[in-house]
Amino acid sequence: ILSTKPYGTKATSPTTRPTTRPVGRPTLSVGVAQADNETKEGIVLAGSSNVTLAKYNFRTTGSGFMIKKLKFTTPNPAAIGELSFWNGSNQISTLGGGHLSYEGELPLFTIGPNSEMIVTVKANIRRIGEGAKTGADVALTLVGTEGEFLAVASNDQSVRVTGLGISLTGKSKVVRK
């Protein structure tokens, strides 16, 4: 709940506390993309490339944001060979070598100011015997806990989003031979 009441006043709901924010402060919100008709639950063949595992909707107001840290989990990380990030048909970044996390001074990708961007996360699935196992679930989760995510406002480096408050899971995919 966003409120203009001073911090410490009684909340309007028993489960929330009022919060104050300066007017015009940059914001970032992230969610599972609603228009996700590509990431259907189902079967993926071992050795497949560019398998869509999840789509996330990044929305900014007041500033663009640079994604400088993020982490994914999956029940079977050995099955993932490479993750790539797409904005429409344009590949915007890659995490190679089976890495499921990124942290760096340079952004993994940037979302423009006052915009919405759907980021599709695709994976190369390893072959059976090279890390993938028949029946392995490769559902991808963007970890949202404090300290596992960092986005920095493009126009004000002091504005940092250090957690999402919730982890976001794509649809389940099961590896088959």
Side-chain angles (χ1 to χ4, degrees):
I1 287 183
L2 189 56
S3 172
T4 56
K5 294 180 186 177
Y7 182 76
T9 60
K10 190 170 183 174
T12 56
S13 165
T15 58
T16 60
R17 291 188 323 188
T19 329
T20 59
R21 289 187 188 165
V23 174
R25 186 155 172 100
T27 61
L28 169 71
S29 62
V30 180
V32 174
Q34 294 299 314
D36 184 5
N37 56 7
E38 189 179 352
T39 312
K40 297 179 180 163
E41 292 185 61
I43 295 172
V44 60
L45 297 177
S48 296
S49 297
N50 291 325
V51 176
T52 299
L53 294 183
K55 286 188 173 188
Y56 300 104
N57 187 358
F58 289 79
R59 185 174 293 147
T60 64
T61 56
S63 173
F65 276 84
M66 300 174 287
I67 307 302
K68 293 194 168 192
K69 181 178 183 180
L70 56 69
K71 179 180 179 180
F72 292 97
T73 61
T74 181
N76 294 283
I80 307 288
E82 176 181 90
L83 290 179
S84 56
F85 302 86
W86 299 75
N87 178 12
S89 61
N90 298 316
Q91 185 173 347
I92 56 176
S93 197
T94 302
L95 287 178
H99 294 285
L100 296 176
S101 61
Y102 173 82
E103 182 172 8
E105 279 303 309
L106 296 174
L108 185 63
F109 57 88
T110 301
I111 302 98
N114 301 313
S115 66
E116 184 174 340
M117 184 166 93
I118 294 178
V119 175
T120 303
V121 184
K122 298 182 180 187
N124 292 343
I125 307 298
R126 292 191 169 128
R127 297 181 187 279
I128 302 296
E130 296 175 359
K133 296 178 183 171
T134 297
D137 182 358
V138 290
L140 201 61
T141 299
L142 175 58
V143 178
T145 53
E146 190 75 21
E148 298 294 350
F149 180 87
L150 175 62
V152 178
S154 302
N155 69 352
D156 184 350
Q157 301 291 306
S158 70
V159 177
R160 296 170 168 263
V161 178
T162 59
L164 301 174
I166 187 171
S167 293
L168 304 166
T169 303
K171 304 252 175 41
S172 180
K173 303 268 188 181
V174 177
V175 176
R176 295 287 183 228
K177 191 172 180 179

